[in-house]
Amino acid sequence: MGIEEKLPSGVLLTTVEGVAGYFRKASFWPATFGLACCAIEMMTSGGPKYDLARFGMEVFRASPRQADLMIVAGRVSQKMAPVLRQIYDQMPGPKWVLAMGACSSSGGMFNNYAIVQGVDHVVPVDMYLPGCPPRPEMLIDAILKLHDQVQHTKLGAHRQAEIAELEESALAALPTSDMKGLLR
């Protein structure tokens, strides 16, 4: 069952955003940024049992200039935060960040002065992956969800309008202190 059976006339119509999104999602090149025990699970997901190569991610890049996905796996110390930001700044755009594990997402059990309480204080995070440590299946699921997010990202002027709309809705949101119900 090939594509020729799906398209009997041999014509396929799409948009530039659709094609660009498809190619972007199919060619993630992750940067290695393993800081603690979550890094073992990240390395396992690249091994033969879980095989990230099925999704075009078989090679973890050691150089940030060749990567477009940063997987922050583990706790980020205050001393490591500037290095993390420098590596993020060296990555070419478009770039995405996945916070892997409770420590990188929120500081985890390390609520002290030495650990950054969430990597989103240092770099913008596109996907949070909970767990301590999260299993390789969970990492693959988060990457597939990030694939969907990347595939439906708009381009050019449409992207600028989308960003403006998101910022407007964030500014118009009710402050947490005024919320009622389960949050209070």
Side-chain angles (χ1 to χ4, degrees):
M1 171 70 77
I3 195 167
E4 58 275 353
E5 284 88 17
K6 301 273 186 190
L7 303 169
S9 64
V11 176
L12 175 68
L13 298 176
T14 187
T15 62
V16 173
E17 282 181 352
V19 171
Y22 177 78
F23 288 130
R24 279 185 181 170
K25 86 164 192 157
S27 65
F28 270 159
W29 287 9
T32 53
F33 207 83
L35 298 169
C37 40
C38 289
I40 303 298
E41 301 295 326
M42 181 178 67
M43 288 182 260
T44 302
S45 65
K49 184 174 182 181
Y50 298 100
D51 194 20
L52 274 176
R54 294 177 290 165
F55 310 109
M57 299 175 54
E58 61 271 359
V59 180
F60 280 84
R61 302 294 167 181
S63 169
R65 289 174 182 86
Q66 297 175 349
D68 55 3
L69 170 65
M70 177 185 281
I71 302 174
V72 182
R75 58 189 177 270
V76 179
S77 66
Q78 295 289 351
K79 285 185 174 183
M80 187 57 75
V83 176
L84 175 78
R85 183 62 199 205
Q86 181 180 12
I87 290 174
Y88 176 81
D89 290 338
Q90 289 176 354
M91 290 171 59
K95 51 192 166 187
W96 297 276
V97 176
L98 194 148
M100 181 178 176
C103 294
S104 65
S105 297
S106 64
M109 66 190 92
F110 303 101
N111 189 9
N112 60 30
Y113 65 92
I115 302 298
V116 176
Q117 299 300 305
V119 76
D120 53 357
H121 292 286
V122 183
V123 294
V125 176
D126 297 296
M127 182 73 61
Y128 294 93
L129 175 59
C132 184
R135 298 276 309 140
E137 298 93 344
M138 294 172 67
L139 176 60
I140 291 172
D141 182 57
I143 289 171
L144 291 177
K145 288 179 181 173
L146 192 58
H147 277 184
D148 290 339
Q149 183 179 338
V150 167
Q151 185 172 7
H152 296 100
T153 300
K154 301 198 178 299
L155 297 176
H158 297 283
R159 178 70 180 147
Q160 298 302 324
E162 182 183 37
I163 290 171
E165 180 183 323
L166 290 172
E167 286 180 5
E168 255 181 55
S169 65
L171 290 173
L174 190 64
T176 310
S177 59
D178 294 342
M179 291 183 180
K180 305 287 185 227
L182 294 175
L183 294 175
R184 284 207 37 100

